[in-house]
């Protein structure tokens, strides 16, 4: 199997894993009252938003290689589809 074949899946899994790890760290910090728990019933929403804010820049820095591989995979698929579409158009033009 080619390593670039599953680049999108790998990037997505790593991004989700990074979010889950960030959420776990935020939850532990809130559990030990190092960070505020939130207001009323907004505790879960607060923790989720904080985990998103933390994981986004981390993924931008830490997952650069995987993001570039995913980008190459997508560009290759789009180019291949564009070539197929152009070939189909030329076949249709020849029928007229």
């Amino acid at each position: 199997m080619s390593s670039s074949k599953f680049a999108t899946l790998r990037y997505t899994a790593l991004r989700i894993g990074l979010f889950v790890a960030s959420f776990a760290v935020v939850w532990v910090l809130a559990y030990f009252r190092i960070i505020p728990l939130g207001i009323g019933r907004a505790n879960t929403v607060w923790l989720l938003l904080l985990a998103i804010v933390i994981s986004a820049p981390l993924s931008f820095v830490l997952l650069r290689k995987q993001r570039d591989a995913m980008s190459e995979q997508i560009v290759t698929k789009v180019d291949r589809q564009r070539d197929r579409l152009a070939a189909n158009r030329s076949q249709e033009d020849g029928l007229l």
Side-chain angles (χ1 to χ4, degrees):
M1 281 184 216
S2 173
S3 62
S4 64
K5 186 174 183 180
F6 298 105
T8 304
L9 182 62
R10 184 180 315 110
Y11 175 76
T12 303
L14 288 171
R15 182 82 193 263
I16 290 170
L18 191 58
F19 170 74
V20 169
S22 297
F23 182 75
V25 168
V26 168
W27 184 82
V28 167
L29 292 174
Y31 181 78
F32 288 113
R33 309 251 192 252
I34 296 171
I35 61 172
L37 286 174
I39 300 170
R41 299 184 143 193
N43 182 23
T44 306
V45 175
W46 160 251
L47 296 178
L48 286 171
L49 288 174
L50 193 55
I52 289 171
V53 167
I54 291 170
S55 69
L58 284 175
S59 69
F60 184 74
V61 173
L62 297 175
L63 302 179
R64 179 168 303 184
K65 187 171 107 176
Q66 289 81 12
R67 189 174 51 253
D68 290 343
M70 179 183 68
S71 176
E72 289 175 16
Q73 179 188 19
I74 291 171
V75 166
T76 302
K77 285 184 179 182
V78 168
D79 287 343
R80 192 177 330 132
Q81 195 68 10
R82 188 178 298 138
D83 293 342
R84 266 193 224 142
L85 185 60
N88 287 341
R89 283 185 184 158
S90 67
Q91 285 179 347
E92 290 174 2
D93 290 343
L95 294 175
L96 295 176

